[in-house]
Amino acid sequence: MKQLTIAKAINAGLSRAMAENPKVMLMGEDIGSLGGVYRVTEGLKDRYGAHRVLDTPLGEAGIVGTAVGLAQRGYRPVCEIQFDGFTFPAFNQITTQLAKIHARSDGNLTVPVTIRIPYGGVIGSVEHHSESPEALFAHTAGLRILAPSNAQDAYWMSQQAIACNDPVIIFEPKRRYWLKGEVDEERPTGDAFSAAVVREGQEATIVAWGPLVPVALAAAEAAREDGRSVEVIDLRSLSPIDFDKVTASVRKTGRLIIAHEAPTFGGLGGELAARVTERAFYSLEAPVLRVGAFHMPYPPAAVEDHYVPDLDRVLEALDRSFAY
């Protein structure tokens, strides 16, 4: 076991993948000598050379477009998008090319491209640096999407994404990059594309992912002090979604709160709520409730704490659920 931050765990996962497969290469703005804005790739250029850790021009469309070509020539490129809000210049390449080549070629072509996107807010930054755009990509068939919330998952998900023959987007919770946790480098945490029950409970279920998982766990602990038993599920994979694990939990607890940092309107919480209602309607003791950001552009840093869901808002949703 090692104690690593999420950022260091991703670095270690990338390094292991590069050591095991010479076709794995990293691409992105300032990821080489600088190690990226968050120093996630620090030291990898020195270890593996500039031909495998490429500093690219500031052009996300070019980064992803080049990766598509490299993948079809046998490489496994890993692209870093510097900030979540900078993903959109490459939206066309991701959603109309990368996601569709396998189906378009009747299964004859694979594009094993991994795209790493630091996402989410509460870092005191400016516009376009704190977005949570996961729903835009989850709506596009042909993409797999992961969202680690801890160092162990960050380490193994990085490697499982690179090994996958489908294109994978990893949304990395940038405000949690410095969160430490134990990493077992010999024992994977199971299938990356499945959910995990990270706290067992009997009376309500909270589903969260990425940066909101620690908030959900804190809410469950606060509820315990009030005599309530709350289960917490880390969704982990946003496409595909492990509906079976979520449904099984709700059939047990009878209540569901979904918490995510993205705006509630049009967010993935709506899809989860609809599926669970379809599958477990007669088990529900209360409506499925969602906790998310407001339907507005991400605000200035001075007021972002009022925009992003926090412990109080999750607990308020729990109170409303138990009031039914």
Side-chain angles (χ1 to χ4, degrees):
M1 288 284 190
K2 288 183 177 179
Q3 278 282 333
L4 296 175
T5 63
I6 288 178
K8 290 298 184 183
I10 295 168
N11 181 289
L14 294 174
S15 182
R16 182 166 177 171
M18 295 181 78
E20 292 178 352
N21 187 344
K23 292 295 186 179
V24 176
M25 57 187 299
L26 313 183
M27 309 166 58
E29 299 160 7
D30 300 322
I31 68 166
S33 300
L34 183 64
V37 171
Y38 295 99
R39 307 298 186 266
V40 174
T41 55
E42 192 170 38
L44 297 180
K45 180 181 177 181
D46 294 337
R47 199 172 308 160
Y48 297 103
H51 64 295
R52 294 186 64 194
V53 183
L54 278 68
D55 281 318
T56 67
L58 273 67
E60 287 75 17
I63 294 170
V64 177
T66 301
V68 171
L70 285 165
Q72 292 183 74
R73 297 290 299 199
Y75 291 90
R76 291 185 176 268
V78 181
C79 305
E80 178 183 298
I81 305 298
Q82 202 168 68
F83 284 96
D84 33 43
F86 300 171
T87 310
F88 300 110
F91 193 79
N92 178 42
Q93 281 75 12
I94 296 170
T95 59
T96 68
Q97 302 299 330
L98 186 62
K100 295 180 170 59
I101 288 172
H102 185 68
R104 184 186 301 148
S105 65
D106 198 22
N108 290 306
L109 296 176
T110 58
V111 277
V113 175
T114 300
I115 301 177
R116 295 179 42 247
I117 303 176
Y119 90 117
V122 199
I123 61 167
S125 197
V126 295
E127 188 181 23
H128 302 312
H129 291 68
S130 301
E131 312 292 335
S132 296
E134 60 265 35
L136 299 177
F137 296 97
H139 185 70
T140 301
L143 299 172
R144 291 176 179 263
I145 302 174
L146 298 173
S149 67
N150 57 74
Q152 172 78 355
D153 277 353
Y155 176 76
W156 286 107
M157 279 184 178
S158 301
Q159 297 171 69
Q160 291 173 333
I162 293 168
C164 183
N165 285 327
D166 296 324
V168 181
I169 295 175
I170 306 177
F171 281 102
E172 300 170 359
K174 65 169 98 72
R175 69 159 152 149
R176 306 295 185 193
Y177 269 148
W178 299 275
L179 181 67
K180 285 188 175 182
E182 287 190 341
V183 174
D184 187 339
E185 295 181 327
E186 302 304 321
R187 183 175 299 176
T189 48
D191 179 15
F193 301 102
S194 64
V197 177
V198 293
R199 182 185 178 116
E200 293 190 355
Q202 301 297 322
E203 296 179 284
T205 301
I206 302 176
V207 172
W209 55 88
L212 261 289
V213 172
V215 178
L217 288 168
E221 178 60 24
R224 184 193 65 79
E225 295 174 359
D226 289 336
R228 297 291 191 180
S229 175
V230 176
E231 186 151 291
V232 178
I233 294 180
D234 183 348
L235 200 60
R236 301 176 76 244
S237 175
L238 311 185
S239 182
I241 290 176
D242 188 351
F243 290 111
D244 289 344
K245 194 160 289 181
V246 176
T247 303
S249 177
V250 173
R251 284 181 177 144
K252 177 178 68 173
T253 66
R255 292 177 170 83
L256 176 61
I257 288 87
I258 304 159
H260 55 65
E261 208 172 282
T264 304
F265 184 85
L268 283 181
E271 178 65 28
L272 277 159
R275 292 291 186 106
V276 168
T277 302
E278 290 171 359
R279 290 182 169 203
F281 179 76
Y282 291 105
S283 298
L284 288 168
E285 300 290 341
V288 178
L289 300 178
R290 295 170 293 155
V291 182
F294 302 111
H295 189 48
M296 57 176 285
Y298 199 91
V303 293
E304 67 178 341
D305 286 340
H306 301 288
Y307 173 82
V308 172
D310 59 7
L311 175 62
D312 288 341
R313 284 168 62 183
V314 176
L315 288 174
E316 188 271 336
L318 273 172
D319 288 342
R320 282 193 287 133
S321 182
F322 282 120
Y324 278 90

